[in-house]
Amino acid sequence: MPSIATLALASLLAVQGASTSIHQGLALEKYIKTERAIALQGVLDNIGPNGAKVPGAGRGLVIASPSKVNPDYFYSWTRDAALTFKTIIDDFLFGNRALQPYIEDYIHSQAILQTVSNPSGTLLPNGAGLGEPKFTVNGSRFNGNWGRPQRDGPPLRAVALIQYSNYLISQGKRDRVKTEIWPVIANDLSYVGQYWNSTGFDLWEEVSGSSFFTTQNQYRSLVEGAALAKTIGVSCTGCSQAPQVLCFLQSYWNGKSITANFITGSHNRGGVDANTILGPIALFDAHAPCDSPTLQPCHPRSLANFKVFVDTFRNSTLYPINAGISQAKGIALGRYPEDTYYNGNPWYLITLGAAEFLYDAIASWDKSGSLTIDATSLPFFKDLYPLAREGTFTWYHPSYYLLQRLVRSYADSFVAIAQKHTPPNGMLAEQFLKSAPFTPTSAANLTWSFASFVSMTHRRDGHFPPSWVPRTGPLKPVVPSVCTPGGSVQGTYAPATAAGAPNVTAPCLSTVRFVLNATTYYGENVYVTGDGPTLGGWDLATAYPLLSSNYTAERPLWWADVPLDMPAGSATGKSVVTYKYARQQDCGRDWIVEEVERTVEVPACRTDGSGEVMAETDDAFVGEGGKPGGC
Ligand SMILES: *[C@@H]1O[C@H](CO)[C@@H](O)[C@H](O)[C@H]1NC(C)=O
Ligand SMILES: *[C@@H]1O[C@H](CO)[C@@H](O)[C@H](O)[C@H]1NC(C)=O
Ligand SMILES: *[C@@H]1O[C@H](CO)[C@@H](O)[C@H](O)[C@H]1NC(C)=O
Ligand SMILES: *[C@@H]1O[C@H](CO)[C@@H](O)[C@H](O)[C@H]1NC(C)=O
Ligand SMILES: *[C@@H]1O[C@H](CO)[C@@H](O)[C@H](O)[C@H]1NC(C)=O
Ligand SMILES: *[C@@H]1O[C@H](CO)[C@@H](O)[C@H](O)[C@H]1NC(C)=O
Ligand SMILES: *[C@@H]1O[C@H](CO)[C@@H](O)[C@H](O)[C@H]1NC(C)=O
């Protein structure tokens, strides 16, 4: 029998192809060094107020992409911004002190954004407005039709701010954290504690239900939040929910892989989705044990799921771009196999995220000094090393070294895919075509793509974020024996005025159910426009979208329960609201607006945030119908 060391060498040579690997390796190192600088600048160019590519963006607001048409990503998303700042804060902690002003601007911008009333609701009295996914580039509300609420924004923002707060505390700035930053974090943690067990839209903004990525980050935020609260001597509303969130997190494992979403209503999804790769890298802690129920990248279930996810895209009918690539090599990765958005192409941030996932796993093994292969993770390892077997290998064992090298070279091969599809100017779009010519597509200069590149290089270079998974004590992750449904703690919410938030009070709301008969074609949308901020003050760009969820051929019904934010003085008696309906035509054509002016009488408004319907209309559209534009 050959010794394990001989096998190691033979296998390395077989996998890499000895003569080309050195050349390719050098080219990859050079690409990473050059692209890293471009990517960091790409991120900063998309942040207001001085970002070169986003004139008009507010201070501290991260714009998803400068692209304003096909697609229009010229908005600030809470999730993208938080993930971006998580990486910026990492880079700052690893020594890039020039980034501090950006972080300070971010804190300020988010304190204000928390108070902006929006179609998901308001900060006061119940925090519902924190679930709003996106805002305009100057931080004003976005009223358009959208998948809302999205419950990953608040926990991700809390995680980023907690990381920076812990740094400030290490610099003796505990009081500043307590008075200025904690109030922002506390709102987000209250939101997590109150709504983690309610449905919401996933990170791709497409399906409503529960999402692995969201649950995983919710858990992290509550644990870290509880630790920070203890350090600064305050209480954390909502953090007590952490064990139940952890319990729920375990239920996404289906015996073979992680089911990415529990979806409400009918759908065609098989459950394989990149959110199960992006979740583990967002909560990576190099010091957490690999069997931690937080589901780190090195967890056997995460590795098994990684293989299932990646193998789905090895199908060359689905992804011609991956034809002919061997099982031990990285490929181009997309969101989920049923994806039709832009025809369902590979994404840079997912392909790079897969590399980051593997660098994370290696770091965990290196920190603990051993690597365990069990029946669940064996298929993952066998792809890289057919002779792999179950067992625990300590760092001085030749198998440890062999496997570690193979996983690293596997990770590098995902980066090489991104390299192959990076244009000469280094700009990273959202996607690249799955079929020839494999060129970039969808939003250009996507902030999240650039941030994912920077984050990948951190892990590859051995720079790891501070540890957050407690090893002992009451916050140590322990899965409760029974998961209890209906988990929720009423949050406490207040504007973070010390960080610059306006001192808002609970709005006075009169909720009206707008009910309209309007026969429409597929692609046409209907809005209500009218008096006051909720109906957009007669500006069609900020009109309120109606739902077609109950539309049938027999009853062409459009409707919405609209919580009208009423002016002061409406609390004591009835008032009249003026409105009309507007049809938004497809293909970017002009709107069709009703010529009648309608009124509805509403009872005195309420500040308890109940959202109870107080008046209902019964309308039929007046004016011409729309016709498809045929684009
Ligand atoms: C993306 O960045 C490149 C390089 O700076 C620039 O030429 C291009 O116009 C940008 N695209 C958008 C949509 O801003
Ligand atoms: C902010 O942007 C919105 C939508 O683009 C616009 O209607 C509004 O006037 C802007 N507000 C300010 C203060 O610039
Ligand atoms: C709420 O939690 C229970 C128990 O973990 C779980 O069965 C249920 O699916 C959860 N629902 C949502 C919407 O999170
Ligand atoms: C490969 O992808 C095609 C196209 O999406 C699909 O019809 C087929 O079922 C896939 N094959 C396997 C083995 O999953
Ligand atoms: C905010 O307003 C409330 C009353 O609505 C007041 O009690 C509180 O002191 C104000 N806070 C600040 C910082 O001005
Ligand atoms: C639409 O359907 C939902 C769910 O069945 C129902 O709760 C709601 O009242 C309906 N809306 C109208 C205007 O009938
Ligand atoms: C809307 O359509 C329903 C069902 O056809 C009908 O009963 C109702 O009277 C219509 N409403 C108006 C205002 O025309």
Side-chain angles (χ1 to χ4, degrees):
M1 262 193 78
S3 74
I4 286 181
T6 317
L7 277 176
L9 188 59
S11 168
L12 270 177
L13 296 178
V15 169
Q16 296 199 333
S19 62
T20 54
S21 73
I22 292 167
H23 173 73
Q24 283 171 355
L26 287 176
L28 188 72
E29 298 300 337
K30 187 157 172 280
Y31 161 72
I32 290 173
K33 190 158 181 281
T34 310
E35 185 63 25
R36 188 193 187 288
I38 294 174
L40 182 57
Q41 191 57 46
V43 168
L44 301 181
D45 282 350
N46 289 350
I47 300 177
N50 300 318
K53 291 190 176 138
V54 291
R59 182 172 293 279
L61 292 180
V62 179
I63 309 310
S65 153
S67 173
K68 291 184 182 168
V69 284
N70 301 325
D72 182 2
Y73 280 20
F74 198 60
Y75 290 95
S76 188
W77 270 264
T78 304
R79 165 188 43 260
D80 298 34
L83 287 168
T84 298
F85 264 95
K86 185 165 174 286
T87 294
I88 289 179
I89 292 165
D90 269 354
D91 211 56
F92 167 75
L93 294 178
F94 302 146
N96 188 350
R97 299 295 162 189
L99 295 176
Q100 195 157 19
Y102 291 91
I103 302 169
E104 294 292 336
D105 284 352
Y106 174 66
I107 297 168
H108 182 70
S109 73
Q110 300 307 298
I112 297 171
L113 222 52
Q114 286 187 333
T115 65
V116 175
S117 87
N118 60 65
S120 295
T122 48
L123 175 67
L124 302 175
N126 57 14
L130 298 174
E132 178 68 3
K134 75 181 212 186
F135 295 84
T136 74
V137 301
N138 64 23
S140 66
R141 66 188 278 154
F142 165 71
N143 265 3
N145 225 332
W146 214 253
R148 54 169 71 93
Q150 293 176 22
R151 307 199 193 275
D152 55 349
L156 290 168
R157 178 166 55 199
V159 164
L161 296 183
I162 289 167
Q163 188 145 330
Y164 185 60
S165 296
N166 287 334
Y167 159 78
L168 291 177
I169 289 169
S170 77
Q171 302 299 302
K173 305 214 167 97
R174 185 173 170 276
D175 286 349
R176 191 190 154 208
V177 169
K178 185 171 175 173
T179 55
E180 201 180 316
I181 307 178
W182 173 257
V184 184
I185 298 169
N187 285 330
D188 286 339
L189 296 178
S190 277
Y191 184 86
V192 174
Q194 184 164 353
Y195 298 106
W196 71 271
N197 205 200
S198 304
T199 58
F201 278 80
D202 70 324
L203 78 173
W204 310 132
E205 322 193 276
E206 293 176 340
V207 291
S208 184
S210 304
S211 184
F212 178 78
F213 175 84
T214 304
T215 305
Q216 205 176 22
N217 283 295
Q218 285 169 332
Y219 177 69
R220 174 178 181 167
S221 71
L222 296 182
V223 171
E224 275 190 304
L228 175 60
K230 186 155 182 271
T231 304
I232 60 175
V234 296
S235 63
C236 171
T237 309
C239 289
S240 62
Q241 293 291 303
Q244 279 303 320
V245 182
L246 186 66
C247 201
F248 183 41
L249 183 66
Q250 310 310 307
S251 67
Y252 291 87
W253 174 251
N254 62 28
K256 289 200 166 83
S257 62
I258 295 167
T259 300
N261 299 291
F262 300 126
I263 301 173
T264 312
S266 66
H267 61 88
N268 71 337
R269 301 281 186 92
V272 171
D273 186 310
N275 96 35
T276 60
I277 307 298
L278 301 179
I281 64 177
L283 58 57
F284 168 60
D285 175 350
H287 294 275
C290 289
D291 62 0
S292 166
T294 56
L295 296 171
Q296 297 290 320
C298 66
H299 194 288
R301 290 181 175 179
S302 298
L303 293 170
N305 178 69
F306 184 90
K307 174 174 161 56
V308 169
F309 173 72
V310 173
D311 281 355
T312 303
F313 289 98
R314 292 192 184 279
N315 176 345
S316 61
T317 312
L318 182 68
Y319 266 30
I321 192 172
N322 293 333
I325 300 180
S326 85
Q327 194 74 17
K329 286 279 189 192
I331 55 170
L333 297 171
R335 302 189 300 176
Y336 51 91
E338 304 86 0
D339 196 0
T340 58
Y341 180 62
Y342 275 79
N343 224 1
N345 294 297
W347 286 42
Y348 291 98
L349 71 93
I350 297 168
T351 306
L352 294 165
E356 180 172 336
F357 180 101
L358 298 171
Y359 297 132
D360 287 351
I362 295 168
S364 301
W365 299 324
D366 284 352
K367 293 271 181 218
S368 73
S370 81
L371 182 168
T372 297
I373 302 180
D374 68 6
T376 304
S377 60
L378 184 60
F380 167 86
F381 289 101
K382 282 207 153 180
D383 277 352
L384 306 182
Y385 182 53
L387 299 179
R389 57 181 167 82
E390 288 177 44
T392 292
F393 308 97
T394 39
W395 66 269
Y396 49 79
H397 195 289
S399 291
Y400 180 92
Y401 179 74
L402 167 67
L403 291 164
Q404 196 245 38
R405 294 310 304 166
L406 289 172
V407 175
R408 181 154 173 112
S409 129
Y410 188 34
D412 281 354
S413 67
F414 283 97
V415 182
I417 297 290
Q419 175 188 16
K420 193 168 167 189
H421 301 287
T422 300
N425 69 359
M427 292 299 130
L428 299 180
E430 180 181 75
Q431 311 178 23
F432 47 103
L433 293 173
K434 64 185 171 185
S435 305
F438 311 123
T439 41
T441 189
S442 187
N445 308 332
L446 189 82
T447 312
W448 192 357
S449 294
F450 288 133
S452 75
F453 196 95
V454 175
S455 185
M456 176 280 292
T457 65
H458 287 153
R459 305 301 175 254
R460 188 174 188 274
D461 292 348
H463 295 310
F464 307 123
S467 179
W468 68 272
V469 179
R471 307 292 294 272
T472 54
L475 295 175
K476 181 182 172 192
V478 175
V479 183
S481 52
V482 183
C483 294
T484 319
S488 175
V489 167
Q490 172 63 48
T492 50
Y493 304 94
T497 49
N503 194 14
V504 293
T505 50
C508 201
L509 301 177
S510 293
T511 300
V512 175
R513 171 166 291 194
F514 288 92
V515 177
L516 171 74
N517 291 338
T519 302
T520 49
Y521 59 86
Y522 184 78
E524 188 179 27
N525 284 303
V526 183
Y527 291 71
V528 53
T529 176
D531 287 342
T534 323
L535 299 183
W538 298 106
D539 176 2
L540 285 178
T542 53
Y544 199 96
L546 299 186
L547 302 168
S548 58
S549 53
N550 301 10
Y551 188 103
T552 61
E554 300 74 49
R555 178 88 207 263
L557 177 70
W558 286 82
W559 72 290
D561 290 345
V562 184
L564 297 173
D565 193 342
M566 304 297 286
S570 317
T572 47
K574 292 179 179 178
S575 42
V576 172
V577 173
T578 311
Y579 67 99
K580 48 173 93 170
Y581 297 102
R583 296 169 179 260
Q584 184 186 38
Q585 299 304 291
D586 66 2
C587 312
R589 291 172 300 149
D590 279 351
W591 294 68
I592 300 173
V593 186
E594 282 190 314
E595 288 183 3
V596 292
E597 201 152 88
R598 304 172 177 282
T599 55
V600 58
E601 192 181 74
V602 295
C605 59
R606 290 162 43 168
T607 55
D608 63 3
S610 80
E612 188 191 315
V613 174
M614 302 161 116
E616 183 166 336
T617 74
D618 178 20
D619 300 323
F621 194 87
V622 174
E624 58 172 313
K627 288 190 190 62
C631 53

